[in-house]
Amino acid sequence: MPRLLLLGLLALALVTPAAAQSPAAEAAAAQAPAVRGFQTSDLYRVKTVRDPRISPDGEWVAYTVSQPDSAKDKSDTDVWMAKWDGSRNIRLTFSPDGESSPRWSPDGRWLAFTSGRGPDNKQGSQI
């Protein structure tokens, strides 16, 4: 008897969701925009935020934002800073060379970061 009851409940569970949709729900589902699945090209739209550093006075946070560039087959990283309350964001670097590792001076007046400059960039990253 328990086996028959279990099979009956299973059959009911499979049939009920298909029959349970009202005409209004079916109409709403028909009007809803189609959901697009994740595609490989979406990876080039993902930005990565890293290395947050709080200024000595606690008013600002310096950080880096990286975004892949499919045409150059590399990632571009720039230094940003934001007010602690989120009221202001400032992009500090715009170069195609990658910048990283922002660090505040002890008095909070200066912000240093590392960057590779020039077309050959043989010396690597420098402050």
Side-chain angles (χ1 to χ4, degrees):
M1 180 72 171
R3 181 185 241 173
L4 185 58
L5 180 63
L6 185 60
L7 286 173
L9 289 174
L10 180 61
L12 183 61
L14 293 174
V15 173
T16 302
Q21 257 189 350
S22 69
E26 288 177 9
Q31 292 177 357
V35 177
R36 182 177 73 79
F38 184 80
Q39 298 175 359
T40 307
S41 61
D42 293 335
L43 290 173
Y44 292 107
R45 296 177 32 203
V46 175
K47 294 182 180 181
T48 306
V49 177
R50 290 191 178 119
D51 206 8
R53 299 294 170 160
I54 300 172
S55 65
D57 63 2
E59 290 291 315
W60 293 91
V61 178
Y63 57 96
T64 61
V65 177
S66 300
Q67 183 170 7
D69 184 344
S70 62
K72 294 179 182 176
D73 194 28
K74 69 175 203 167
S75 191
D76 182 29
T77 304
D78 290 301
V79 177
W80 288 68
M81 89 183 181
K83 280 290 259 187
W84 71 271
D85 61 359
S87 64
R88 197 165 167 209
N89 285 320
I90 302 171
R91 184 176 176 178
L92 299 175
T93 62
F94 294 85
S95 75
D97 304 312
E99 293 85 21
S100 61
S101 307
R103 299 294 185 267
W104 293 99
S105 63
D107 63 2
R109 288 185 57 205
W110 304 99
L111 183 66
F113 57 89
T114 59
S115 177
R117 297 285 190 218
D120 55 359
N121 192 15
K122 291 180 181 177
Q123 296 177 347
S125 292
Q126 298 181 14
I127 296 177

